[in-house]
Short mmCIF file of all heavy atoms in Angstrom, two decimals:
data_model
loop_
_atom_site.label_atom_id
_atom_site.label_comp_id
_atom_site.label_asym_id
_atom_site.label_seq_id
_atom_site.Cartn_x
_atom_site.Cartn_y
_atom_site.Cartn_z
N MET A 225 81.31 74.03 115.24
CA MET A 225 81.29 72.58 115.15
C MET A 225 79.88 72.09 115.49
O MET A 225 79.14 72.75 116.22
CB MET A 225 82.31 71.98 116.10
CG MET A 225 83.76 72.40 115.82
SD MET A 225 84.35 71.96 114.19
CE MET A 225 84.67 70.22 114.38
N ALA A 226 79.54 70.93 114.93
CA ALA A 226 78.24 70.33 115.18
C ALA A 226 78.37 68.81 115.12
O ALA A 226 79.32 68.29 114.55
CB ALA A 226 77.22 70.81 114.15
N ILE A 227 77.40 68.14 115.69
CA ILE A 227 77.33 66.69 115.62
C ILE A 227 76.24 66.34 114.61
O ILE A 227 75.12 66.84 114.70
CB ILE A 227 76.97 66.06 116.99
CG1 ILE A 227 77.98 66.47 118.07
CG2 ILE A 227 76.86 64.54 116.87
CD1 ILE A 227 79.37 65.93 117.86
N VAL A 228 76.58 65.50 113.64
CA VAL A 228 75.59 65.02 112.67
C VAL A 228 75.41 63.52 112.86
O VAL A 228 76.29 62.83 113.36
CB VAL A 228 76.02 65.31 111.20
CG1 VAL A 228 76.07 66.79 110.95
CG2 VAL A 228 77.32 64.65 110.85
N SER A 229 74.26 63.05 112.47
CA SER A 229 73.97 61.62 112.51
C SER A 229 73.60 61.18 111.10
O SER A 229 72.67 61.71 110.50
CB SER A 229 72.82 61.32 113.47
OG SER A 229 72.53 59.94 113.46
N ILE A 230 74.37 60.25 110.57
CA ILE A 230 74.14 59.73 109.23
C ILE A 230 73.91 58.23 109.34
O ILE A 230 74.84 57.49 109.66
CB ILE A 230 75.34 60.04 108.30
CG1 ILE A 230 75.62 61.52 108.27
CG2 ILE A 230 75.07 59.49 106.90
CD1 ILE A 230 76.93 61.90 107.62
N ASP A 231 72.67 57.83 109.11
CA ASP A 231 72.31 56.41 109.16
C ASP A 231 72.75 55.76 110.47
O ASP A 231 73.29 54.66 110.48
CB ASP A 231 72.89 55.69 107.94
CG ASP A 231 72.13 54.43 107.60
OD1 ASP A 231 70.95 54.32 107.99
OD2 ASP A 231 72.71 53.54 106.94
N GLY A 232 72.57 56.48 111.57
CA GLY A 232 72.88 55.94 112.89
C GLY A 232 74.32 56.16 113.35
O GLY A 232 74.68 55.80 114.46
N VAL A 233 75.16 56.75 112.52
CA VAL A 233 76.55 57.03 112.88
C VAL A 233 76.69 58.52 113.18
O VAL A 233 76.32 59.35 112.36
CB VAL A 233 77.52 56.63 111.74
CG1 VAL A 233 78.95 56.99 112.09
CG2 VAL A 233 77.38 55.16 111.42
N SER A 234 77.19 58.85 114.37
CA SER A 234 77.38 60.26 114.74
C SER A 234 78.81 60.69 114.46
O SER A 234 79.75 59.93 114.65
CB SER A 234 77.07 60.46 116.22
OG SER A 234 75.71 60.22 116.46
N LEU A 235 78.94 61.95 114.02
CA LEU A 235 80.24 62.48 113.63
C LEU A 235 80.27 63.98 113.91
O LEU A 235 79.29 64.68 113.68
CB LEU A 235 80.44 62.24 112.13
CG LEU A 235 81.68 62.77 111.45
CD1 LEU A 235 82.92 62.03 111.95
CD2 LEU A 235 81.57 62.63 109.95
N GLU A 236 81.39 64.48 114.41
CA GLU A 236 81.55 65.91 114.61
C GLU A 236 82.09 66.52 113.32
O GLU A 236 83.06 66.04 112.76
CB GLU A 236 82.52 66.19 115.76
CG GLU A 236 82.61 67.66 116.10
CD GLU A 236 83.49 67.94 117.30
OE1 GLU A 236 84.55 67.29 117.43
OE2 GLU A 236 83.11 68.79 118.12
N ILE A 237 81.42 67.59 112.86
CA ILE A 237 81.82 68.24 111.62
C ILE A 237 81.92 69.75 111.82
O ILE A 237 81.37 70.29 112.77
CB ILE A 237 80.82 67.97 110.46
CG1 ILE A 237 79.45 68.55 110.79
CG2 ILE A 237 80.76 66.48 110.14
CD1 ILE A 237 78.54 68.70 109.60
N SER A 238 82.60 70.40 110.91
CA SER A 238 82.66 71.86 110.91
C SER A 238 81.47 72.41 110.14
O SER A 238 81.13 71.91 109.06
CB SER A 238 83.95 72.34 110.24
OG SER A 238 83.90 73.75 110.06
N ILE A 239 80.85 73.45 110.69
CA ILE A 239 79.75 74.11 110.00
C ILE A 239 80.15 75.53 109.59
O ILE A 239 79.30 76.37 109.28
CB ILE A 239 78.46 74.11 110.85
CG1 ILE A 239 78.70 74.75 112.22
CG2 ILE A 239 77.92 72.70 110.99
CD1 ILE A 239 77.44 74.96 113.03
N ALA A 240 81.44 75.80 109.55
CA ALA A 240 81.96 77.14 109.25
C ALA A 240 81.59 77.61 107.84
O ALA A 240 81.52 78.81 107.60
CB ALA A 240 83.47 77.17 109.43
N LEU A 241 81.34 76.70 106.92
CA LEU A 241 81.08 77.08 105.53
C LEU A 241 79.60 77.34 105.24
O LEU A 241 79.26 77.77 104.14
CB LEU A 241 81.59 75.98 104.59
CG LEU A 241 83.08 75.66 104.70
CD1 LEU A 241 83.43 74.46 103.82
CD2 LEU A 241 83.91 76.86 104.33
N VAL A 242 78.72 77.06 106.21
CA VAL A 242 77.28 77.21 105.98
C VAL A 242 76.69 78.16 107.03
O VAL A 242 76.90 77.98 108.22
CB VAL A 242 76.56 75.84 106.07
CG1 VAL A 242 75.08 75.97 105.78
CG2 VAL A 242 77.20 74.84 105.12
N GLU A 243 75.97 79.15 106.54
CA GLU A 243 75.36 80.12 107.45
C GLU A 243 73.94 79.70 107.81
O GLU A 243 73.28 79.00 107.06
CB GLU A 243 75.32 81.50 106.79
CG GLU A 243 76.70 82.07 106.55
CD GLU A 243 76.64 83.46 105.93
OE1 GLU A 243 75.55 84.04 105.85
OE2 GLU A 243 77.71 83.92 105.50
N GLU A 244 73.48 80.18 108.96
CA GLU A 244 72.10 80.03 109.41
C GLU A 244 71.61 78.59 109.44
O GLU A 244 70.63 78.23 108.80
CB GLU A 244 71.17 80.89 108.55
CG GLU A 244 71.48 82.36 108.64
CD GLU A 244 70.47 83.21 107.88
OE1 GLU A 244 69.31 82.80 107.75
OE2 GLU A 244 70.87 84.29 107.42
N LEU A 245 72.28 77.75 110.20
CA LEU A 245 71.83 76.38 110.40
C LEU A 245 71.09 76.28 111.73
O LEU A 245 71.44 76.93 112.70
CB LEU A 245 73.01 75.41 110.43
CG LEU A 245 73.68 75.12 109.10
CD1 LEU A 245 74.89 74.22 109.31
CD2 LEU A 245 72.71 74.47 108.14
N ASP A 246 70.07 75.45 111.75
CA ASP A 246 69.32 75.17 112.96
C ASP A 246 69.40 73.67 113.24
O ASP A 246 69.60 72.87 112.33
CB ASP A 246 67.85 75.57 112.80
CG ASP A 246 67.67 77.08 112.65
OD1 ASP A 246 68.29 77.83 113.43
OD2 ASP A 246 66.92 77.50 111.75
N VAL A 247 69.19 73.30 114.50
CA VAL A 247 69.15 71.89 114.88
C VAL A 247 68.07 71.21 114.04
O VAL A 247 66.96 71.73 113.89
CB VAL A 247 68.85 71.73 116.38
CG1 VAL A 247 68.62 70.27 116.74
CG2 VAL A 247 69.98 72.32 117.21
N GLY A 248 68.42 70.09 113.44
CA GLY A 248 67.48 69.35 112.61
C GLY A 248 67.61 69.62 111.12
O GLY A 248 67.01 68.91 110.31
N ASP A 249 68.39 70.63 110.73
CA ASP A 249 68.61 70.90 109.32
C ASP A 249 69.41 69.76 108.68
O ASP A 249 70.22 69.12 109.34
CB ASP A 249 69.38 72.21 109.11
CG ASP A 249 68.52 73.45 109.29
OD1 ASP A 249 67.28 73.33 109.32
OD2 ASP A 249 69.10 74.54 109.41
N ASN A 250 69.18 69.53 107.40
CA ASN A 250 69.92 68.53 106.64
C ASN A 250 71.03 69.24 105.88
O ASN A 250 70.80 70.30 105.29
CB ASN A 250 68.99 67.83 105.64
CG ASN A 250 67.96 67.00 106.34
OD1 ASN A 250 68.24 65.92 106.80
ND2 ASN A 250 66.75 67.52 106.43
N VAL A 251 72.23 68.66 105.92
CA VAL A 251 73.37 69.26 105.24
C VAL A 251 74.09 68.22 104.41
O VAL A 251 74.08 67.03 104.71
CB VAL A 251 74.37 69.92 106.23
CG1 VAL A 251 73.76 71.12 106.91
CG2 VAL A 251 74.87 68.93 107.26
N LEU A 252 74.74 68.71 103.36
CA LEU A 252 75.63 67.89 102.55
C LEU A 252 77.00 67.92 103.22
O LEU A 252 77.53 69.00 103.46
CB LEU A 252 75.72 68.45 101.13
CG LEU A 252 76.69 67.76 100.18
CD1 LEU A 252 76.25 66.32 99.93
CD2 LEU A 252 76.77 68.53 98.88
N VAL A 253 77.54 66.75 103.56
CA VAL A 253 78.80 66.65 104.30
C VAL A 253 79.85 65.99 103.43
O VAL A 253 79.60 64.98 102.78
CB VAL A 253 78.61 65.83 105.60
CG1 VAL A 253 79.93 65.66 106.34
CG2 VAL A 253 77.58 66.48 106.51
N HIS A 254 81.06 66.58 103.45
CA HIS A 254 82.19 65.99 102.74
C HIS A 254 83.44 66.24 103.56
O HIS A 254 83.70 67.38 103.97
CB HIS A 254 82.33 66.60 101.34
CG HIS A 254 83.46 66.04 100.55
ND1 HIS A 254 83.48 64.71 100.15
CD2 HIS A 254 84.60 66.59 100.10
CE1 HIS A 254 84.59 64.50 99.47
NE2 HIS A 254 85.29 65.62 99.43
N VAL A 255 84.20 65.21 103.81
CA VAL A 255 85.45 65.21 104.58
C VAL A 255 85.39 66.10 105.83
O VAL A 255 86.29 66.89 106.10
CB VAL A 255 86.69 65.55 103.72
CG1 VAL A 255 86.98 64.46 102.73
CG2 VAL A 255 86.58 66.89 103.03
N GLY A 256 84.31 65.95 106.60
CA GLY A 256 84.22 66.63 107.88
C GLY A 256 83.69 68.04 107.85
O GLY A 256 83.71 68.75 108.86
N TYR A 257 83.19 68.49 106.71
CA TYR A 257 82.64 69.84 106.57
C TYR A 257 81.22 69.79 106.02
O TYR A 257 80.96 69.06 105.06
CB TYR A 257 83.49 70.68 105.61
CG TYR A 257 84.83 71.05 106.15
CD1 TYR A 257 85.92 70.21 106.00
CD2 TYR A 257 85.01 72.25 106.84
CE1 TYR A 257 87.16 70.54 106.51
CE2 TYR A 257 86.26 72.59 107.34
CZ TYR A 257 87.32 71.73 107.18
OH TYR A 257 88.55 72.07 107.69
N ALA A 258 80.34 70.60 106.60
CA ALA A 258 79.03 70.81 106.00
C ALA A 258 79.24 71.77 104.84
O ALA A 258 79.80 72.85 105.02
CB ALA A 258 78.07 71.40 107.02
N LEU A 259 78.82 71.38 103.64
CA LEU A 259 79.03 72.21 102.45
C LEU A 259 77.83 73.07 102.12
O LEU A 259 77.97 74.19 101.62
CB LEU A 259 79.39 71.35 101.25
CG LEU A 259 80.66 70.52 101.38
CD1 LEU A 259 80.88 69.71 100.11
CD2 LEU A 259 81.85 71.40 101.67
N SER A 260 76.62 72.54 102.37
CA SER A 260 75.41 73.31 102.10
C SER A 260 74.24 72.67 102.82
O SER A 260 74.27 71.49 103.17
CB SER A 260 75.13 73.38 100.60
OG SER A 260 74.87 72.09 100.09
N LYS A 261 73.21 73.48 103.03
CA LYS A 261 71.96 72.98 103.59
C LYS A 261 71.15 72.41 102.44
O LYS A 261 71.13 72.98 101.35
CB LYS A 261 71.21 74.13 104.27
CG LYS A 261 70.02 73.67 105.06
CD LYS A 261 69.50 74.63 106.10
CE LYS A 261 69.19 76.01 105.69
NZ LYS A 261 68.42 76.75 106.71
N ILE A 262 70.49 71.26 102.65
CA ILE A 262 69.70 70.65 101.59
C ILE A 262 68.28 70.37 102.07
O ILE A 262 68.03 70.22 103.27
CB ILE A 262 70.35 69.37 101.02
CG1 ILE A 262 70.56 68.32 102.10
CG2 ILE A 262 71.66 69.68 100.33
CD1 ILE A 262 71.08 67.00 101.56
N ASP A 263 67.39 70.28 101.12
CA ASP A 263 65.98 70.01 101.37
C ASP A 263 65.82 68.63 102.00
O ASP A 263 66.49 67.67 101.58
CB ASP A 263 65.26 70.07 100.01
CG ASP A 263 63.80 69.73 100.12
OD1 ASP A 263 63.04 70.59 100.61
OD2 ASP A 263 63.43 68.61 99.71
N PRO A 264 64.93 68.48 103.00
CA PRO A 264 64.74 67.17 103.65
C PRO A 264 64.35 66.05 102.68
O PRO A 264 64.80 64.92 102.82
CB PRO A 264 63.61 67.42 104.66
CG PRO A 264 63.65 68.89 104.91
CD PRO A 264 64.14 69.53 103.64
N THR A 265 63.54 66.37 101.67
CA THR A 265 63.15 65.35 100.69
C THR A 265 64.36 64.90 99.88
O THR A 265 64.55 63.71 99.63
CB THR A 265 62.05 65.91 99.75
OG1 THR A 265 60.95 66.33 100.55
CG2 THR A 265 61.59 64.86 98.76
N GLU A 266 65.20 65.85 99.48
CA GLU A 266 66.41 65.52 98.74
C GLU A 266 67.36 64.68 99.61
O GLU A 266 67.96 63.72 99.14
CB GLU A 266 67.11 66.80 98.28
CG GLU A 266 68.38 66.56 97.52
CD GLU A 266 69.09 67.85 97.13
OE1 GLU A 266 68.51 68.93 97.26
OE2 GLU A 266 70.25 67.73 96.70
N ALA A 267 67.47 65.04 100.87
CA ALA A 267 68.35 64.30 101.79
C ALA A 267 67.88 62.86 101.94
O ALA A 267 68.69 61.93 101.89
CB ALA A 267 68.39 65.00 103.15
N LYS A 268 66.57 62.67 102.11
CA LYS A 268 66.02 61.32 102.27
C LYS A 268 66.28 60.48 101.01
O LYS A 268 66.71 59.34 101.10
CB LYS A 268 64.52 61.40 102.55
CG LYS A 268 63.86 60.07 102.80
CD LYS A 268 62.38 60.27 103.17
CE LYS A 268 61.74 58.98 103.57
NZ LYS A 268 61.30 58.18 102.45
N ARG A 269 66.03 61.05 99.85
CA ARG A 269 66.24 60.32 98.60
C ARG A 269 67.71 59.98 98.38
O ARG A 269 68.05 58.89 97.93
CB ARG A 269 65.69 61.14 97.42
CG ARG A 269 65.81 60.43 96.10
CD ARG A 269 64.95 59.18 96.06
NE ARG A 269 65.21 58.46 94.82
CZ ARG A 269 65.36 57.15 94.73
NH1 ARG A 269 65.24 56.39 95.79
NH2 ARG A 269 65.62 56.58 93.57
N THR A 270 68.59 60.91 98.71
CA THR A 270 70.02 60.66 98.57
C THR A 270 70.48 59.51 99.46
O THR A 270 71.21 58.62 99.02
CB THR A 270 70.82 61.94 98.89
OG1 THR A 270 70.43 62.97 97.99
CG2 THR A 270 72.33 61.70 98.77
N LEU A 271 70.01 59.48 100.72
CA LEU A 271 70.36 58.38 101.61
C LEU A 271 69.83 57.05 101.08
O LEU A 271 70.52 56.03 101.13
CB LEU A 271 69.83 58.63 103.02
CG LEU A 271 70.64 59.58 103.88
CD1 LEU A 271 69.94 59.84 105.20
CD2 LEU A 271 72.03 59.04 104.12
N GLU A 272 68.61 57.07 100.54
CA GLU A 272 68.04 55.84 99.97
C GLU A 272 68.88 55.33 98.80
O GLU A 272 69.16 54.14 98.69
CB GLU A 272 66.60 56.08 99.51
CG GLU A 272 65.63 56.25 100.65
CD GLU A 272 64.25 56.74 100.20
OE1 GLU A 272 64.09 57.10 99.01
OE2 GLU A 272 63.35 56.77 101.05
N LEU A 273 69.32 56.24 97.93
CA LEU A 273 70.15 55.85 96.79
C LEU A 273 71.50 55.28 97.25
O LEU A 273 71.99 54.29 96.71
CB LEU A 273 70.38 57.04 95.86
CG LEU A 273 69.17 57.46 95.03
CD1 LEU A 273 69.45 58.79 94.33
CD2 LEU A 273 68.81 56.39 94.02
N LEU A 274 72.11 55.92 98.25
CA LEU A 274 73.38 55.42 98.77
C LEU A 274 73.23 54.04 99.40
O LEU A 274 74.09 53.17 99.23
CB LEU A 274 73.97 56.41 99.77
CG LEU A 274 74.47 57.72 99.18
CD1 LEU A 274 74.83 58.71 100.28
CD2 LEU A 274 75.65 57.48 98.26
N GLN A 275 72.11 53.81 100.10
CA GLN A 275 71.86 52.50 100.68
C GLN A 275 71.66 51.45 99.59
O GLN A 275 72.15 50.33 99.70
CB GLN A 275 70.66 52.55 101.62
CG GLN A 275 70.95 53.31 102.90
CD GLN A 275 69.71 53.60 103.72
OE1 GLN A 275 68.59 53.57 103.22
NE2 GLN A 275 69.92 53.91 104.98
N GLU A 276 70.96 51.81 98.51
CA GLU A 276 70.79 50.89 97.39
C GLU A 276 72.13 50.54 96.76
O GLU A 276 72.39 49.38 96.43
CB GLU A 276 69.87 51.50 96.33
CG GLU A 276 68.42 51.57 96.71
CD GLU A 276 67.56 52.26 95.68
OE1 GLU A 276 67.95 52.27 94.48
OE2 GLU A 276 66.50 52.80 96.05
N LEU A 277 72.98 51.54 96.57
CA LEU A 277 74.29 51.29 95.99
C LEU A 277 75.13 50.39 96.89
O LEU A 277 75.83 49.49 96.40
CB LEU A 277 75.04 52.60 95.76
CG LEU A 277 74.56 53.45 94.59
CD1 LEU A 277 75.23 54.81 94.62
CD2 LEU A 277 74.82 52.74 93.28
N GLY A 278 75.07 50.62 98.18
CA GLY A 278 75.83 49.80 99.13
C GLY A 278 75.36 48.36 99.15
O GLY A 278 76.16 47.43 99.23
N SER A 279 74.06 48.14 99.06
CA SER A 279 73.55 46.77 99.09
C SER A 279 73.70 46.07 97.74
O SER A 279 73.71 44.85 97.68
CB SER A 279 72.08 46.75 99.54
OG SER A 279 71.26 47.41 98.62
N ALA A 280 73.83 46.82 96.66
CA ALA A 280 73.96 46.22 95.34
C ALA A 280 75.23 45.38 95.25
O ALA A 280 75.24 44.34 94.60
CB ALA A 280 73.99 47.31 94.25
N GLY A 281 76.29 45.78 95.89
CA GLY A 281 77.54 45.02 95.86
C GLY A 281 77.50 43.76 96.69
O GLY A 281 78.35 42.90 96.56
N ARG A 282 76.49 43.62 97.56
CA ARG A 282 76.40 42.45 98.44
C ARG A 282 75.44 41.39 97.92
O ARG A 282 75.35 40.31 98.47
CB ARG A 282 75.98 42.88 99.83
CG ARG A 282 77.05 43.68 100.54
CD ARG A 282 76.64 43.94 101.96
NE ARG A 282 75.53 44.88 101.99
CZ ARG A 282 75.59 46.10 102.48
NH1 ARG A 282 76.70 46.55 102.97
NH2 ARG A 282 74.53 46.89 102.47
N GLU A 283 74.70 41.71 96.87
CA GLU A 283 73.73 40.75 96.35
C GLU A 283 74.44 39.70 95.50
O GLU A 283 75.38 40.01 94.77
CB GLU A 283 72.68 41.47 95.49
CG GLU A 283 71.80 42.39 96.30
CD GLU A 283 70.81 43.16 95.45
OE1 GLU A 283 70.71 42.88 94.23
OE2 GLU A 283 70.13 44.04 96.01
N PRO A 284 73.99 38.45 95.59
CA PRO A 284 74.62 37.40 94.76
C PRO A 284 74.39 37.66 93.29
O PRO A 284 73.31 38.12 92.88
CB PRO A 284 73.91 36.11 95.21
CG PRO A 284 72.82 36.50 96.11
CD PRO A 284 72.93 37.97 96.43
N ARG A 285 75.38 37.40 92.50
CA ARG A 285 75.28 37.58 91.05
C ARG A 285 74.91 36.26 90.40
O ARG A 285 75.31 35.20 90.83
CB ARG A 285 76.60 38.08 90.47
CG ARG A 285 76.93 39.46 91.00
CD ARG A 285 78.20 39.96 90.39
NE ARG A 285 78.50 41.29 90.92
CZ ARG A 285 79.62 41.90 90.76
NH1 ARG A 285 80.59 41.33 90.08
NH2 ARG A 285 79.82 43.09 91.27
N SER A 286 74.15 36.34 89.30
CA SER A 286 73.78 35.10 88.62
C SER A 286 74.64 34.83 87.43
O SER A 286 75.38 35.59 86.96
CB SER A 286 72.33 35.13 88.17
OG SER A 286 71.80 36.40 88.00
#
């Protein structure tokens, strides 16, 4: 088990499916499981895209 922080939210997840993780590694998480280790650049871009999608629904429409 490990604690992950996603955009300021901490969550305990299982790391049983991913080998050789170190503190600070970026992982793809789904329903409480780390599925794979991912590149830090990819992780940053993915979070940016998710934030854009989340804010797109809150913008006023013309």
Side-chain angles (χ1 to χ4, degrees):
M225 300 300 283
I227 303 293
V228 295
S229 178
I230 304 168
D231 204 23
V233 177
S234 294
L235 176 68
E236 186 176 40
I237 63 163
S238 171
I239 56 172
L241 301 174
V242 182
E243 295 181 10
E244 298 185 29
L245 286 176
D246 294 314
V247 172
D249 283 346
N250 294 282
V251 293
L252 176 64
V253 176
H254 181 65
V255 292
Y257 289 87
L259 300 180
S260 64
K261 188 161 53 167
I262 59 175
D263 177 75
T265 303
E266 180 183 349
K268 183 176 186 278
R269 182 65 186 137
T270 300
L271 280 175
E272 289 170 352
L273 287 171
L274 290 171
Q275 289 169 340
E276 288 176 25
L277 286 171
S279 64
R282 292 187 290 247
E283 293 177 7
R285 295 182 180 169
S286 23

